[in-house]
Amino acid sequence: ANPPTVSAATDLKTAPVVGPGKLPPPTSLVTKDLVVGTGATATASDTVQVQYVGANYTDGKNFDSSWSRGQPASFPLNQVVPGFSQGIVGMKVGGRREIVIPSALGYGAMGSPPAVAPNETLVFVVDLLAIQ
């Protein structure tokens, strides 16, 4: 599986930019460490503080970004779409990871209108800042 290219991939002070993915999109979760962290390791029961960009796989268009809001976001990993949680588990604080989430582990056939189309594959680039 070939995840989409990410520009500014290793600059943790800069919002990453996701390019469009190659078709067909992957049917299983794909993760790629862009920067390997050195801190604590995230588990499925953690609440994490992250900076992230979420983009649609097909065109690379952002549908969500903590960068654009100017502050990190915190999520309990047991309250997000399964692919987001599964993609962060095992990541270390200080790292940046690209996560490609097939629709079945994302928003599925419903999508998340208007930003995410039905059955859309999602790409997140996540910086793990802290485990709370």
Side-chain angles (χ1 to χ4, degrees):
N2 217 352
T5 57
V6 177
S7 54
T10 58
D11 181 357
L12 298 179
K13 293 180 173 53
T14 303
V17 179
V18 177
K22 292 181 178 60
L23 297 175
T27 53
S28 58
L29 188 75
V30 176
T31 62
K32 178 183 177 185
D33 285 313
L34 303 172
V35 176
V36 176
T38 55
T41 303
T43 67
S45 58
D46 286 332
T47 294
V48 296
Q49 185 185 51
V50 293
Q51 282 277 36
Y52 69 93
V53 168
N56 294 320
Y57 183 89
T58 44
D59 59 8
K61 184 169 188 256
N62 281 9
F63 62 82
D64 193 10
S65 169
S66 63
W67 290 92
S68 66
R69 292 191 292 275
Q71 61 184 31
S74 293
F75 301 111
L77 286 181
N78 60 7
Q79 291 178 20
V80 294
V81 296
F84 193 84
S85 174
Q86 291 169 26
I88 290 177
V89 167
M91 205 179 160
K92 293 183 185 304
V93 170
R96 173 176 281 185
R97 180 176 282 180
E98 181 178 13
I99 307 168
V100 182
I101 303 176
S103 168
L105 293 174
Y107 294 108
M110 299 292 291
S112 181
V116 179
N119 302 310
E120 178 68 65
T121 300
L122 310 175
V123 183
F124 284 96
V125 179
V126 179
D127 300 354
L128 182 57
L129 304 180
I131 296 170
Q132 293 171 321

